[in-house]
Amino acid sequence: MAVAALLLLCALPMQGSLKTTVEAALTAPAGGRVLELYYEIPRSSLVFLKNGDGYEARYRCRVQALGRAREPLAGRVWDRELRVDDYARTVRSDSAETGVLTMSIPDSATLVSVEVVDLSSERRATGRLELGPVLPLRGVQQKVRRRDHSDL
């Protein structure tokens, strides 16, 4: 069974007019790094439009991995839709749209840029995550010193 090392787990500070919470987990399974972004958008922050017999909100999540010179190395875009049957479900403050975005990140990436956009209102939230270098852990041994407690 392969085990992935957890390199990073943190909340991503998001700024902008679309209330969004994002938490990031960066793991290193064999063969590269994988970024998982767990997001939450309150339904009351999204604009729902009447569509047939229900209401629909559409939003886009864009993630881009950048190199040291801020050159794009990898990126992905996810378009999502949320449908509800009645209007009351669009404005409930205790209800949120949640999801997970997963993508491979090159070892040379030093920055991840995240953008979430409500496609009906164009309101957006953006965040950045600085990545440190990947340090190999092979051959590292932890030395434990024993204390002599005979003088106690």
Side-chain angles (χ1 to χ4, degrees), residues 64-75:
Q64 191 170 38
L66 305 170
R68 186 176 306 271
R70 301 302 187 241
E71 74 279 11
L73 300 175

Side-chain angles (χ1 to χ4, degrees), residues 43-131:
R43 284 190 183 176
S44 58
S45 293
L46 295 169
V47 172
F48 284 81
L49 301 175
K50 182 79 170 147
N51 187 354
D53 58 351
Y55 296 86
E56 180 180 84
R58 297 177 349 168
Y59 61 97
R60 175 172 291 147
C61 301
R62 182 178 295 125
V63 179
Q64 191 170 38
L66 305 170
R68 186 176 306 271
R70 301 302 187 241
E71 74 279 11
L73 300 175
R76 261 188 93 183
V77 176
W78 294 264
D79 285 336
R80 303 281 166 94
E81 294 179 5
L82 173 61
R83 291 190 50 83
V84 295
D85 296 331
D86 61 284
Y87 179 76
R89 292 183 63 201
T90 70
V91 294
R92 288 185 52 183
S93 60
D94 64 342
S95 188
E97 173 71 358
T98 60
V100 180
L101 310 172
T102 304
M103 73 179 269
S104 295
I105 301 291
D107 286 345
S108 57
T110 60
L111 178 74
V112 173
S113 172
V114 178
E115 180 182 52
V116 181
V117 179
D118 179 334
L119 296 176
S120 297
S121 69
E122 293 297 319
R123 289 184 303 165
R124 65 190 66 232
T126 59
R128 298 165 73 104
L129 177 64
E130 295 281 343
L131 301 176

Side-chain angles (χ1 to χ4, degrees), residues 3-66:
V3 176
L6 178 64
L7 301 177
L8 174 73
L9 181 63
C10 69
L12 191 66
M14 300 294 286
Q15 299 176 348
S17 57
L18 182 65
K19 185 175 180 183
T20 306
T21 303
V22 177
E23 294 179 344
L26 184 63
T27 58
R33 295 190 294 178
V34 175
L35 178 68
E36 292 180 337
L37 297 170
Y38 301 86
Y39 67 88
E40 180 177 286
I41 308 167
R43 284 190 183 176
S44 58
S45 293
L46 295 169
V47 172
F48 284 81
L49 301 175
K50 182 79 170 147
N51 187 354
D53 58 351
Y55 296 86
E56 180 180 84
R58 297 177 349 168
Y59 61 97
R60 175 172 291 147
C61 301
R62 182 178 295 125
V63 179
Q64 191 170 38
L66 305 170

